[in-house]
């Protein structure tokens, strides 16, 4: 109970300060709940001319959806190929993929920005989505999962005349829905919470994601603290709901990825 209360304390502070006036937030006397609940803060947040918060929520949803769908397709194909298609250099390719996990993001940040800028993808969804379509860690997890996938099912599909491509899409993918959902949840959370890359790519307010919009509220010349707290509460609500409904897939994903203790 104590741990749950400590965990919920930041959420209480976000909601309390988001529905309070600026004077109550900075007042020396603390009150558990605002004397007057300012529901109009919601209207002020979504009608702000400086920070297009509603547009940023939509942008984050689109980026997270596109990035998750693309990553699932690309990384699942790569993981399945490394797990099931025998060829001479498969182990070398797998080790090369793992080696990229050891490269700090800060090392590739500037070269990635130069490439995206030269392609004209600044303030564009392509610049926000495409660089995140591949994840070496996701490839590793897919490979570990597919290594334990029942070969008998795949062999039965081949006997029925399916190609390797058909076996993957008609047998392997439908039989791995839980694991795909686990990777999807992890990817959505990471994409939604990304800040540094969208900050330098989304240079136009129309292309801001929700995290960039939050920084816009914080760095404004006259920051409105109540709107900042309310915006933070609204921005985490989709992720909290997603995690609440799909948390069982996260546990299943770790259990089925070969990372058992």
């Amino acid at each position: 109970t104590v741990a749950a209360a400590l965990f919920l304390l930041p959420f209480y502070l976000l909601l309390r300060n988001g529905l309070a006036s600026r004077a109550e937030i900075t007042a020396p006397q603390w009150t558990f709940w605002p004397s007057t609940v300012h529901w109009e803060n919601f209207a002020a947040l979504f009608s702000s001319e400086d920070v297009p918060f509603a547009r940023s929520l939509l942008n984050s949803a689109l980026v997270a959806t596109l990035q998750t769908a693309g990553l699932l397709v690309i990384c699942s194909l790569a993981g399945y190929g490394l797990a099931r298609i025998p060829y001479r250099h498969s182990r070398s390719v797998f080790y090369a993929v793992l080696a990229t996990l050891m490269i700090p993001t800060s090392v590739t940040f500037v070269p990635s920005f130069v490439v995206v800028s030269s392609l004209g993808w600044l303030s564009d969804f392509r610049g926000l989505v495409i660089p995140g379509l591949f994840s070496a860690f996701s490839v590793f997890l897919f490979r570990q999962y597919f290594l334990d996938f029942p070969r008998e099912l795949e062999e039965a599909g081949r006997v029925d005349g399916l190609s390797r491509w058909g076996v993957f899409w008609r047998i392997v993918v439908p039989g791995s829905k839980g694991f795909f959902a686990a990777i999807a949840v992890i990817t959505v959370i990471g994409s939604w919470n990304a800040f540094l890359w969208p900050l330098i790519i989304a240079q136009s307010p129309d292309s801001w994601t929700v995290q960039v919009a939050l920084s816009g509220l914080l760095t404004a010349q006259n920051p409105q603290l109540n709107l900042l707290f309310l915006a933070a509460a609204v921005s985490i609500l989709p992720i909290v709901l997603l995690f609440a409904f799909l948390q069982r897939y996260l546990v299943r994903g770790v259990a089925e990825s070969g990372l058992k203790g």
Side-chain angles (χ1 to χ4, degrees), residues 44 52-53 62 95 105 120 127 134 144 200 223 232:
F53 192 71
L62 290 175
Y95 289 152
T105 306
F134 180 82
Q144 295 303 109
I200 66 167

Side-chain angles (χ1 to χ4, degrees), residues 120-135:
W121 291 353
L122 296 181
S123 298
D124 192 285
F125 277 108
R126 291 173 294 180
L128 292 170
V129 173
I130 293 177
L133 291 181
F134 180 82
S135 167

Side-chain angles (χ1 to χ4, degrees), residues 5-37:
L6 292 175
F7 178 79
L8 293 174
L9 180 61
F11 298 95
Y12 151 71
L13 292 175
L14 288 177
L15 190 59
R16 184 262 182 196
N17 293 339
L19 296 177
S21 65
R22 182 171 182 175
E24 287 179 303
I25 296 176
T26 57
Q29 296 82 18
W30 178 263
T31 57
F32 178 78
W33 196 250
S35 58
T36 301
V37 178

